[in-house]
Amino acid sequence: MRKHNIFDIPWKTFQALPLEEKSAYLAHRDGTIYHTLFAQQFDEALLERLALLANAIRAIAKTRAGTAFLQSQVCHKRAMLYFSQPSSRTFLSFISACQILGMKTAEVRDTSISSEFKGESKEDSIRTFSSYFDLIIMRTPEKGLAEQMAWTLSNSDRPIPIINAGSGPDQHPTQALLDIYTLLRSFERRGGLRDRTVVFCGDLLRGRTVRSLSYLLTNFSNIRQIFVAPEPLQIAPDVLEILDKKGVSYACSNNLQAVIPEADAVYMTRIQDEWDKSKGESARIDTSHFKFGLNELALLSPRAIIMHPLPRRDEISTEVDGDPRAMYWRQMRNGMWIRTALIAMVFGCEHAILDYHRANF
Ligand code: NCD
């Protein structure tokens, strides 16, 4: 019997469902995650559960015996990383996550040397991968493609889970997971992730990490969100609509220095000029006031943190890197652990790992 829900409705009907209703189709029958497509699949309880699992995994991985135990968890499965958009951190952290759990991996990063170049459709390519692999981790420039592939696979005779590692300018759910994990860890000894102010700064219109994280933050009590961007790159209305619906307090601003003193976390992002509609479009926007340097650091509370999904250009000065509040390098490493936790959960290893942790630590 299948362990997850079949998408027993046509693609167009599924596609038109609100995200919250889609989530049920994407889960295992026991309610845990099967396909990971968007941030709306995660609530506070599930996020806390993943963070707990990630904490257990990183403790277990410190010993040789623990490493061997972790590697025995999913050693009977193979993962395909299908990345048709540039990536360093997401790609490498997913490869590392698979290795930690003993999974073998293969990759397609350049579709010009795969059969897509010969005219094969993406659907056929994905079904081909599913013949050889047990998990597909995919990054594409196309919004909605991961979702369509999940629907295709779930209705095929060899369904396997999909993890969305970035879908166009739309969503990047696993980046949001590592961002939440970083926030949970940063505030765990200081009353937890509640009653905080998170400032987002940069290209908020086209940054998919902000879209996913802004949603995930709505799961936590009383998190105020402030969006700081030059007007043409300000956060999209659909994100604000969700915040309105959920009764989340937010503000939009174009003055970074004015809001820094209120921040518990400042989340900087780069200008996403790969999405420019005309050449040099972003270069004509004045972004000089949307950078974090020593002057901004001086305004930041001693207990606040600075985050960035990376890669950065010059939106955070390297002079800030040595400050204990600069969290972006640790944030990046957290990505490996939370992605390991996610894959472990997808393959049903959560309880075995927690039991091992309880027995040995
Ligand atoms: C982000 C992305 O790809 O959206 N990078 C990442 O995965 N850490 C952010 C970006 O590219 O600016």
Side-chain angles (χ1 to χ4, degrees):
M1 200 177 83
R2 287 178 194 240
K3 288 203 292 293
H4 71 288
N5 295 317
I6 308 172
F7 291 24
D8 51 359
I9 51 173
W11 161 242
K12 289 278 172 214
T13 316
F14 175 74
Q15 194 184 20
L17 291 176
L19 292 187
E20 283 76 8
E21 277 180 47
K22 283 182 186 168
S23 297
Y25 286 89
L26 307 176
H28 278 108
R29 284 184 194 279
D30 71 359
T32 54
I33 293 287
Y34 184 74
H35 297 296
T36 307
L37 301 183
F38 36 79
Q40 282 77 352
Q41 289 173 255
F42 298 87
D43 59 14
E44 183 177 359
L46 189 52
L47 292 167
E48 301 271 8
R49 209 166 135 183
L50 273 169
L52 203 74
L53 185 57
N55 286 345
I57 289 171
R58 68 200 298 170
I60 295 171
K62 284 196 196 338
T63 68
R64 196 183 172 108
T67 297
F69 163 78
L70 289 170
Q71 283 176 357
S72 71
Q73 290 303 298
V74 200
C75 59
H76 55 309
K77 303 280 184 190
R78 291 178 297 278
M80 156 58 77
L81 285 91
Y82 175 50
F83 274 56
S84 60
Q85 248 195 328
S87 176
S88 306
R89 274 149 286 268
T90 307
F91 182 80
L92 291 173
S93 64
F94 265 120
I95 292 261
S96 303
C98 290
Q99 287 169 351
I100 291 167
L101 295 169
M103 288 185 97
K104 323 275 177 305
T105 58
E107 60 190 72
V108 168
R109 301 194 74 175
D110 181 356
T111 51
S112 71
I113 55 164
S114 80
S115 282
E116 266 181 50
F117 189 67
K118 298 187 204 162
E120 183 169 55
S121 70
K122 292 197 170 63
E123 283 88 343
D124 285 4
S125 293
I126 295 278
R127 285 194 73 156
T128 305
F129 300 156
S130 77
S131 307
Y132 308 132
F133 296 95
D134 307 288
L135 168 69
I136 295 175
I137 301 165
M138 64 186 282
R139 167 172 285 197
T140 73
E142 279 164 73
K143 178 181 174 182
L145 184 66
E147 188 175 316
Q148 192 174 355
M149 296 305 127
W151 183 88
T152 303
L153 285 177
S154 274
N155 289 319
S156 77
D157 51 9
R158 192 162 190 285
I160 64 168
I162 287 206
I163 297 178
N164 173 6
S167 49
D170 184 36
Q171 284 246 6
H172 193 349
T174 65
Q175 175 70 41
L177 291 181
L178 77 91
D179 295 338
I180 288 288
Y181 182 44
T182 302
L183 288 162
L184 285 171
R185 284 177 73 81
S186 299
F187 297 119
E188 75 183 331
R189 284 190 203 89
R190 295 193 255 143
L193 183 49
R194 56 193 344 269
D195 309 322
R196 307 276 169 192
T197 297
V198 177
V199 170
F200 292 98
C201 177
D203 187 343
L204 308 183
L205 181 67
R206 302 173 294 184
R208 55 193 171 192
T209 69
V210 172
R211 296 176 64 78
S212 290
L213 179 57
S214 167
Y215 183 84
L216 276 197
L217 284 170
T218 66
N219 284 300
F220 296 87
S221 160
N222 193 23
I223 305 286
R224 178 169 156 78
Q225 303 188 24
I226 304 183
F227 301 100
V228 184
E231 215 249 298
L233 302 178
Q234 191 47 280
I235 194 83
D238 67 313
V239 175
L240 300 182
E241 254 169 54
I242 293 175
L243 300 184
D244 281 332
K245 236 188 252 161
K246 298 216 154 216
V248 170
S249 149
Y250 68 83
C252 293
S253 161
N254 58 10
N255 190 339
L256 179 60
Q257 292 202 348
V259 300
I260 285 180
E262 294 176 49
D264 295 292
V266 178
Y267 190 97
M268 298 297 298
T269 64
R270 75 177 167 89
I271 303 303
Q272 312 271 318
D273 47 15
E274 67 270 37
W275 300 105
D276 279 2
K277 291 202 180 77
S278 62
K279 203 168 164 5
E281 185 187 348
S282 296
R284 288 191 287 276
I285 300 170
D286 179 7
T287 55
S288 56
H289 301 296
F290 303 89
K291 300 187 198 295
F292 198 103
L294 293 180
N295 290 337
E296 287 68 28
L297 193 61
L299 298 169
L300 188 70
S301 143
R303 296 160 73 81
I305 60 169
I306 309 154
M307 299 172 71
H308 194 307
L310 301 176
R312 79 169 149 190
R313 290 177 180 165
D314 61 352
E315 58 280 350
I316 299 182
S317 152
T318 51
E319 291 167 320
V320 173
D321 290 3
D323 191 276
R325 291 165 289 181
M327 198 53 66
Y328 26 98
W329 305 115
R330 271 173 281 174
Q331 181 186 351
M332 181 166 80
R333 189 165 164 80
N334 286 341
M336 179 175 78
W337 299 118
I338 204 77
R339 287 177 171 127
T340 310
L342 177 68
I343 296 173
M345 195 181 262
V346 167
F347 287 106
C349 309
E350 181 188 13
H351 297 298
I353 292 173
L354 293 178
D355 288 348
Y356 182 97
H357 185 255
R358 232 172 274 123
N360 293 281
F361 292 87

Short mmCIF file of all heavy atoms in Angstrom, two decimals, residues 85-87 89-90 139 165 168 172 175 207-209 269-270 272 274 308-311 339, ligand 1:
data_model
loop_
_atom_site.label_atom_id
_atom_site.label_comp_id
_atom_site.label_asym_id
_atom_site.label_seq_id
_atom_site.Cartn_x
_atom_site.Cartn_y
_atom_site.Cartn_z
N GLN A 85 19.50 25.56 -12.14
CA GLN A 85 19.79 26.97 -11.81
C GLN A 85 21.02 26.97 -10.92
O GLN A 85 21.21 26.00 -10.17
CB GLN A 85 18.64 27.53 -10.98
CG GLN A 85 17.80 28.57 -11.62
CD GLN A 85 16.95 29.27 -10.57
OE1 GLN A 85 16.55 28.69 -9.58
NE2 GLN A 85 16.69 30.53 -10.80
N PRO A 86 21.84 28.03 -10.97
CA PRO A 86 23.07 28.02 -10.18
C PRO A 86 22.82 27.80 -8.70
O PRO A 86 21.80 28.23 -8.17
CB PRO A 86 23.66 29.41 -10.40
CG PRO A 86 22.96 29.96 -11.58
CD PRO A 86 21.65 29.28 -11.70
N SER A 87 23.74 27.11 -8.03
CA SER A 87 23.63 26.89 -6.59
C SER A 87 24.97 26.44 -6.05
O SER A 87 25.66 25.65 -6.69
CB SER A 87 22.59 25.79 -6.32
OG SER A 87 22.54 25.50 -4.94
N ARG A 89 25.55 26.62 -1.97
CA ARG A 89 25.19 26.18 -0.63
C ARG A 89 24.07 25.15 -0.60
O ARG A 89 24.17 24.12 0.07
CB ARG A 89 24.73 27.38 0.22
CG ARG A 89 25.83 28.11 0.88
CD ARG A 89 25.45 29.57 1.02
NE ARG A 89 25.55 30.18 -0.30
CZ ARG A 89 26.64 30.77 -0.75
NH1 ARG A 89 27.67 30.92 0.03
NH2 ARG A 89 26.70 31.26 -1.97
N THR A 90 22.99 25.43 -1.32
CA THR A 90 21.85 24.51 -1.26
C THR A 90 22.26 23.16 -1.82
O THR A 90 21.99 22.11 -1.23
CB THR A 90 20.66 25.09 -2.07
OG1 THR A 90 20.41 26.41 -1.58
CG2 THR A 90 19.42 24.25 -1.91
N ARG A 139 15.95 22.19 -8.21
CA ARG A 139 15.93 23.66 -8.27
C ARG A 139 15.72 24.05 -9.72
O ARG A 139 16.44 23.58 -10.60
CB ARG A 139 17.26 24.23 -7.77
CG ARG A 139 17.42 25.70 -8.11
CD ARG A 139 18.62 26.32 -7.47
NE ARG A 139 18.41 26.55 -6.05
CZ ARG A 139 19.15 27.37 -5.30
NH1 ARG A 139 20.15 28.03 -5.85
NH2 ARG A 139 18.90 27.53 -4.02
N ALA A 165 14.10 22.79 -4.01
CA ALA A 165 15.30 23.49 -3.52
C ALA A 165 15.39 24.90 -4.12
O ALA A 165 16.47 25.46 -4.26
CB ALA A 165 16.54 22.66 -3.87
N GLY A 168 12.04 29.23 -9.07
CA GLY A 168 11.95 30.58 -9.62
C GLY A 168 12.00 31.61 -8.53
O GLY A 168 12.63 31.40 -7.49
N HIS A 172 11.35 29.00 -1.60
CA HIS A 172 12.59 28.27 -1.30
C HIS A 172 12.38 27.70 0.11
O HIS A 172 12.98 28.16 1.07
CB HIS A 172 13.76 29.26 -1.35
CG HIS A 172 15.12 28.62 -1.36
ND1 HIS A 172 15.33 27.28 -1.12
CD2 HIS A 172 16.35 29.16 -1.59
CE1 HIS A 172 16.64 27.03 -1.20
NE2 HIS A 172 17.27 28.15 -1.49
N GLN A 175 15.31 26.74 2.52
CA GLN A 175 16.08 27.89 3.03
C GLN A 175 15.31 28.48 4.23
O GLN A 175 15.90 28.83 5.25
CB GLN A 175 16.27 28.95 1.94
CG GLN A 175 16.95 30.23 2.42
CD GLN A 175 18.43 30.04 2.75
OE1 GLN A 175 19.14 29.37 2.03
NE2 GLN A 175 18.90 30.64 3.84
N GLY A 207 13.19 38.08 -4.18
CA GLY A 207 13.90 37.13 -3.34
C GLY A 207 12.96 36.06 -2.82
O GLY A 207 12.07 36.34 -2.02
N ARG A 208 13.13 34.84 -3.27
CA ARG A 208 12.19 33.77 -2.88
C ARG A 208 12.38 33.35 -1.42
O ARG A 208 11.45 32.86 -0.78
CB ARG A 208 12.37 32.56 -3.80
CG ARG A 208 13.80 32.04 -3.86
CD ARG A 208 13.98 31.06 -5.00
NE ARG A 208 15.39 30.70 -5.19
CZ ARG A 208 15.83 30.05 -6.25
NH1 ARG A 208 15.01 29.72 -7.21
NH2 ARG A 208 17.11 29.74 -6.36
N THR A 209 13.59 33.57 -0.87
CA THR A 209 13.82 33.15 0.51
C THR A 209 12.96 34.00 1.46
O THR A 209 12.43 33.50 2.44
CB THR A 209 15.31 33.27 0.91
OG1 THR A 209 15.67 34.63 0.98
CG2 THR A 209 16.22 32.57 -0.09
N THR A 269 19.39 40.72 2.00
CA THR A 269 19.37 39.92 0.76
C THR A 269 20.04 40.70 -0.37
O THR A 269 20.11 41.93 -0.32
CB THR A 269 17.93 39.59 0.32
OG1 THR A 269 17.25 40.81 0.01
CG2 THR A 269 17.16 38.84 1.40
N ARG A 270 20.49 39.97 -1.38
CA ARG A 270 21.15 40.63 -2.51
C ARG A 270 20.11 41.04 -3.56
O ARG A 270 18.97 40.56 -3.55
CB ARG A 270 22.19 39.70 -3.14
CG ARG A 270 21.60 38.61 -3.97
CD ARG A 270 22.63 37.72 -4.65
NE ARG A 270 21.91 36.56 -5.15
CZ ARG A 270 21.34 36.48 -6.35
NH1 ARG A 270 21.44 37.49 -7.19
NH2 ARG A 270 20.69 35.40 -6.71
N GLN A 272 18.43 40.71 -6.89
CA GLN A 272 18.28 39.50 -7.72
C GLN A 272 18.20 39.92 -9.20
O GLN A 272 17.17 39.74 -9.86
CB GLN A 272 17.00 38.76 -7.32
CG GLN A 272 16.82 38.55 -5.82
CD GLN A 272 17.44 37.25 -5.33
OE1 GLN A 272 17.33 36.23 -5.98
NE2 GLN A 272 18.10 37.30 -4.18
N GLU A 274 19.25 38.72 -11.85
CA GLU A 274 19.04 37.71 -12.90
C GLU A 274 17.59 37.72 -13.39
O GLU A 274 17.28 37.15 -14.44
CB GLU A 274 19.46 36.32 -12.44
CG GLU A 274 18.64 35.67 -11.33
CD GLU A 274 19.16 36.00 -9.92
OE1 GLU A 274 19.61 37.14 -9.68
OE2 GLU A 274 19.09 35.11 -9.04
N HIS A 308 21.64 36.29 6.48
CA HIS A 308 21.69 36.47 5.03
C HIS A 308 21.62 35.07 4.43
O HIS A 308 22.33 34.17 4.89
CB HIS A 308 23.01 37.16 4.64
CG HIS A 308 23.02 37.69 3.23
ND1 HIS A 308 22.72 36.90 2.13
CD2 HIS A 308 23.30 38.92 2.73
CE1 HIS A 308 22.80 37.64 1.03
NE2 HIS A 308 23.15 38.87 1.36
N PRO A 309 20.79 34.84 3.40
CA PRO A 309 20.74 33.49 2.82
C PRO A 309 22.02 33.17 2.04
O PRO A 309 22.30 32.00 1.79
CB PRO A 309 19.53 33.54 1.89
CG PRO A 309 19.35 34.98 1.55
CD PRO A 309 19.83 35.75 2.74
N LEU A 310 22.77 34.21 1.68
CA LEU A 310 23.97 34.10 0.87
C LEU A 310 23.63 33.51 -0.52
O LEU A 310 22.67 32.77 -0.63
CB LEU A 310 25.05 33.27 1.56
CG LEU A 310 25.50 33.80 2.94
CD1 LEU A 310 26.50 32.83 3.57
CD2 LEU A 310 26.12 35.19 2.84
N PRO A 311 24.30 33.81 -1.58
CA PRO A 311 25.54 34.56 -1.65
C PRO A 311 25.31 36.08 -1.45
O PRO A 311 24.26 36.59 -1.79
CB PRO A 311 26.02 34.29 -3.07
CG PRO A 311 24.77 34.07 -3.86
CD PRO A 311 23.83 33.39 -2.93
N ARG A 339 18.39 20.14 6.70
CA ARG A 339 18.08 19.36 5.49
C ARG A 339 18.25 17.87 5.77
O ARG A 339 17.50 17.04 5.26
CB ARG A 339 18.94 19.84 4.32
CG ARG A 339 18.46 21.20 3.82
CD ARG A 339 19.30 21.78 2.71
NE ARG A 339 18.63 22.96 2.16
CZ ARG A 339 19.20 24.17 2.03
NH1 ARG A 339 20.46 24.37 2.39
NH2 ARG A 339 18.51 25.17 1.52
C1 NCD B 1 19.25 32.04 -2.33
C2 NCD B 1 18.44 31.57 -3.52
O1 NCD B 1 18.92 30.77 -4.34
O2 NCD B 1 17.30 32.00 -3.62
N1 NCD B 1 20.46 31.34 -2.21
C3 NCD B 1 20.47 30.22 -1.43
O3 NCD B 1 19.88 29.22 -1.75
N2 NCD B 1 21.11 30.31 -0.26
C4 NCD B 1 19.44 33.50 -2.25
C5 NCD B 1 20.03 34.22 -3.43
O4 NCD B 1 20.41 33.62 -4.43
O5 NCD B 1 20.13 35.44 -3.32
#
